[in-house]
Amino acid sequence: MLALAGRGLPGAERVRLVVYDFDGVMTDNRVITDQAGNESVRANRSDGLGVNLIRDLGIEQVILSTEVNPVVKARADKIGLEAVHGIRDKGSALLNLAEKHHISLSEVLFIGNDVNDADAMGYAGFKVAPADAHPAILALADYVTTAPGGHGVVRELADVLTAARGRAT
Protein backbone atom coordinates (compact mmCIF):
# COMPACT_ATOMS: atom_id res chain seq x y z
CA MET A 1 0.00 0.00 0.00
CA LEU A 2 2.88 2.39 0.65
CA ALA A 3 4.05 2.18 -2.95
CA LEU A 4 0.52 2.86 -4.17
CA ALA A 5 0.08 5.81 -1.84
CA GLY A 6 3.22 7.31 -3.35
CA ARG A 7 2.15 6.87 -6.96
CA GLY A 8 -1.61 6.66 -6.62
CA LEU A 9 -4.34 8.53 -8.40
CA PRO A 10 -5.04 11.90 -6.74
CA GLY A 11 -8.73 12.36 -5.95
CA ALA A 12 -9.56 8.70 -6.64
CA GLU A 13 -11.67 8.57 -3.49
CA ARG A 14 -14.32 10.41 -5.57
CA VAL A 15 -14.62 7.63 -8.20
CA ARG A 16 -18.18 6.25 -8.32
CA LEU A 17 -18.11 4.45 -11.69
CA VAL A 18 -15.31 2.49 -13.37
CA VAL A 19 -15.72 1.85 -17.09
CA TYR A 20 -13.40 -0.74 -18.63
CA ASP A 21 -12.43 -1.30 -22.20
CA PHE A 22 -12.26 -5.08 -22.65
CA ASP A 23 -9.57 -6.08 -25.16
CA GLY A 24 -6.17 -4.85 -24.06
CA VAL A 25 -7.35 -4.14 -20.51
CA MET A 26 -9.04 -7.32 -19.28
CA THR A 27 -7.23 -9.34 -21.95
CA ASP A 28 -3.73 -9.23 -23.41
CA ASN A 29 -5.27 -7.94 -26.66
CA ARG A 30 -4.66 -11.22 -28.45
CA VAL A 31 -7.27 -13.55 -29.89
CA ILE A 32 -7.11 -17.25 -30.60
CA THR A 33 -9.10 -18.36 -33.64
CA ASP A 34 -9.73 -22.05 -34.24
CA GLN A 35 -10.26 -23.71 -37.62
CA ALA A 36 -14.04 -23.19 -37.34
CA GLY A 37 -13.55 -19.45 -36.80
CA ASN A 38 -14.41 -19.48 -33.09
CA GLU A 39 -12.53 -16.85 -31.13
CA SER A 40 -11.16 -17.11 -27.59
CA VAL A 41 -9.34 -14.65 -25.35
CA ARG A 42 -7.36 -15.01 -22.15
CA ALA A 43 -8.37 -13.20 -18.98
CA ASN A 44 -6.53 -12.95 -15.68
CA ARG A 45 -8.40 -14.48 -12.73
CA SER A 46 -6.93 -11.90 -10.37
CA ASP A 47 -8.92 -9.28 -12.28
CA GLY A 48 -12.09 -11.06 -11.15
CA LEU A 49 -10.92 -10.58 -7.57
CA GLY A 50 -10.17 -6.95 -8.40
CA VAL A 51 -13.72 -6.46 -9.67
CA ASN A 52 -15.06 -7.83 -6.39
CA LEU A 53 -12.76 -5.60 -4.33
CA ILE A 54 -13.92 -2.55 -6.27
CA ARG A 55 -17.54 -3.65 -5.86
CA ASP A 56 -16.95 -3.89 -2.09
CA LEU A 57 -15.91 -0.21 -2.17
CA GLY A 58 -19.40 0.62 -3.46
CA ILE A 59 -18.13 1.61 -6.91
CA GLU A 60 -20.23 0.69 -9.95
CA GLN A 61 -18.45 -0.98 -12.89
CA VAL A 62 -19.25 -1.50 -16.58
CA ILE A 63 -17.41 -3.01 -19.55
CA LEU A 64 -17.59 -0.85 -22.69
CA SER A 65 -16.28 -2.49 -25.86
CA THR A 66 -16.49 -2.15 -29.62
CA GLU A 67 -16.02 -5.92 -29.86
CA VAL A 68 -19.10 -7.78 -31.11
CA ASN A 69 -17.91 -11.26 -30.12
CA PRO A 70 -20.09 -12.75 -27.33
CA VAL A 71 -16.93 -13.48 -25.31
CA VAL A 72 -17.23 -9.95 -23.86
CA LYS A 73 -20.69 -10.62 -22.42
CA ALA A 74 -19.68 -14.11 -21.29
CA ARG A 75 -16.76 -12.72 -19.27
CA ALA A 76 -18.89 -9.86 -17.93
CA ASP A 77 -21.55 -12.33 -16.79
CA LYS A 78 -18.90 -14.49 -15.14
CA ILE A 79 -17.58 -11.59 -13.05
CA GLY A 80 -20.98 -9.97 -12.51
CA LEU A 81 -20.60 -6.82 -14.61
CA GLU A 82 -22.83 -5.00 -17.04
CA ALA A 83 -21.40 -5.10 -20.57
CA VAL A 84 -22.12 -2.67 -23.36
CA HIS A 85 -20.44 -4.11 -26.43
CA GLY A 86 -20.60 -3.90 -30.18
CA ILE A 87 -20.74 -0.11 -30.02
CA ARG A 88 -18.90 2.23 -32.39
CA ASP A 89 -18.70 5.48 -30.42
CA LYS A 90 -17.24 4.93 -26.96
CA GLY A 91 -17.40 8.64 -26.12
CA SER A 92 -21.17 8.82 -26.59
CA ALA A 93 -21.61 5.48 -24.87
CA LEU A 94 -19.67 6.75 -21.83
CA LEU A 95 -21.86 9.86 -21.66
CA ASN A 96 -24.95 7.63 -21.77
CA LEU A 97 -23.59 5.35 -19.03
CA ALA A 98 -22.88 8.28 -16.71
CA GLU A 99 -26.38 9.61 -17.27
CA LYS A 100 -27.97 6.17 -16.84
CA HIS A 101 -26.13 5.66 -13.54
CA HIS A 102 -26.78 9.27 -12.41
CA ILE A 103 -23.06 9.87 -11.97
CA SER A 104 -21.13 13.00 -12.89
CA LEU A 105 -18.39 12.55 -15.50
CA SER A 106 -15.97 13.94 -12.91
CA GLU A 107 -16.66 10.78 -10.86
CA VAL A 108 -16.09 8.36 -13.75
CA LEU A 109 -12.83 6.45 -14.22
CA PHE A 110 -12.23 5.09 -17.71
CA ILE A 111 -9.49 2.61 -18.44
CA GLY A 112 -8.53 1.96 -22.04
CA ASN A 113 -5.55 0.96 -24.13
CA ASP A 114 -5.91 2.13 -27.73
CA VAL A 115 -6.82 5.13 -29.86
CA ASN A 116 -10.50 4.13 -30.08
CA ASP A 117 -10.65 4.81 -26.33
CA ALA A 118 -9.46 8.42 -26.59
CA ASP A 119 -12.91 10.06 -26.78
CA ALA A 120 -14.21 8.17 -23.75
CA MET A 121 -11.03 8.95 -21.83
CA GLY A 122 -11.41 12.60 -22.70
CA TYR A 123 -14.84 12.72 -21.04
CA ALA A 124 -13.88 10.78 -17.90
CA GLY A 125 -12.74 12.54 -14.76
CA PHE A 126 -10.08 9.88 -14.22
CA LYS A 127 -8.08 8.28 -17.03
CA VAL A 128 -6.13 5.04 -16.60
CA ALA A 129 -4.11 3.00 -19.09
CA PRO A 130 -2.34 -0.36 -18.92
CA ALA A 131 1.46 -0.27 -19.15
CA ASP A 132 1.42 -1.49 -22.76
CA ALA A 133 -1.22 0.93 -24.04
CA HIS A 134 -0.78 2.90 -27.26
CA PRO A 135 1.50 5.94 -26.73
CA ALA A 136 -1.36 8.37 -27.44
CA ILE A 137 -3.41 6.78 -24.65
CA LEU A 138 -0.46 6.71 -22.27
CA ALA A 139 -0.13 10.46 -22.86
CA LEU A 140 -3.78 11.00 -21.82
CA ALA A 141 -3.60 8.83 -18.71
CA ASP A 142 -3.61 10.17 -15.16
CA TYR A 143 -2.36 6.78 -14.00
CA VAL A 144 -0.52 4.04 -15.89
CA THR A 145 -0.59 0.60 -14.33
CA THR A 146 2.59 -1.37 -13.91
CA ALA A 147 0.69 -4.36 -15.32
CA PRO A 148 0.22 -4.74 -19.08
CA GLY A 149 -3.25 -5.53 -20.43
CA GLY A 150 -4.59 -8.92 -19.40
CA HIS A 151 -2.03 -9.32 -16.61
CA GLY A 152 -3.80 -7.95 -13.54
CA VAL A 153 -4.68 -4.40 -14.60
CA VAL A 154 -8.04 -4.49 -12.79
CA ARG A 155 -6.47 -6.06 -9.70
CA GLU A 156 -3.90 -3.27 -9.58
CA LEU A 157 -6.64 -0.68 -10.03
CA ALA A 158 -8.50 -2.24 -7.08
CA ASP A 159 -5.45 -1.63 -4.90
CA VAL A 160 -5.18 1.97 -6.10
CA LEU A 161 -8.85 2.66 -5.36
CA THR A 162 -8.65 0.88 -2.00
CA ALA A 163 -5.57 2.91 -1.02
CA ALA A 164 -7.34 6.13 -2.05
CA ARG A 165 -10.05 5.31 0.46
CA GLY A 166 -7.53 4.61 3.20
CA ARG A 167 -8.25 0.89 3.35
CA ALA A 168 -6.02 -2.14 3.04
CA THR A 169 -6.55 -5.06 0.66
Side-chain angles (χ1 to χ4, degrees):
M1 286 296 118
L2 290 175
L4 290 173
R7 70 174 289 265
L9 182 58
E13 68 279 358
R14 296 188 323 269
V15 172
R16 293 183 51 218
L17 173 64
V18 174
V19 180
Y20 306 101
D21 176 33
F22 185 69
D23 289 319
V25 172
M26 292 187 158
T27 76
D28 64 5
N29 216 19
R30 297 188 307 172
V31 64
I32 300 164
T33 308
D34 69 16
Q35 65 275 15
N38 298 312
E39 292 186 356
S40 302
V41 296
R42 291 170 43 128
N44 190 307
R45 288 202 186 269
S46 71
D47 284 344
L49 175 61
V51 164
N52 287 331
L53 291 169
I54 293 169
R55 184 178 292 123
D56 289 346
L57 295 172
I59 298 171
E60 297 181 56
Q61 302 167 82
V62 178
I63 296 172
L64 181 61
S65 177
T66 57
E67 180 59 56
V68 295
N69 190 304
V71 71
V72 177
K73 177 132 177 42
R75 182 64 181 153
D77 288 347
K78 170 83 176 177
I79 58 179
L81 294 183
E82 174 185 356
V84 179
H85 64 104
I87 53 101
R88 291 182 185 265
D89 182 354
K90 286 187 180 181
S92 294
L94 183 78
L95 294 173
N96 291 336
L97 282 170
E99 183 177 334
K100 174 185 170 186
H101 289 265
H102 307 288
I103 294 174
S104 165
L105 288 170
S106 67
E107 299 168 313
V108 174
L109 183 152
F110 183 84
I111 180 164
N113 73 305
D114 216 329
V115 295
N116 65 331
D117 298 317
D119 287 344
M121 284 185 90
Y123 288 126
F126 299 90
K127 303 147 183 55
V128 176
D132 60 343
H134 187 278
I137 297 302
L138 292 171
L140 291 174
D142 301 313
Y143 181 89
V144 176
T145 64
T146 58
H151 294 275
V153 168
V154 178
R155 181 64 184 88
E156 181 177 337
L157 180 62
D159 284 343
V160 170
L161 294 172
T162 299
R165 285 166 166 73
R167 299 183 189 175
T169 53

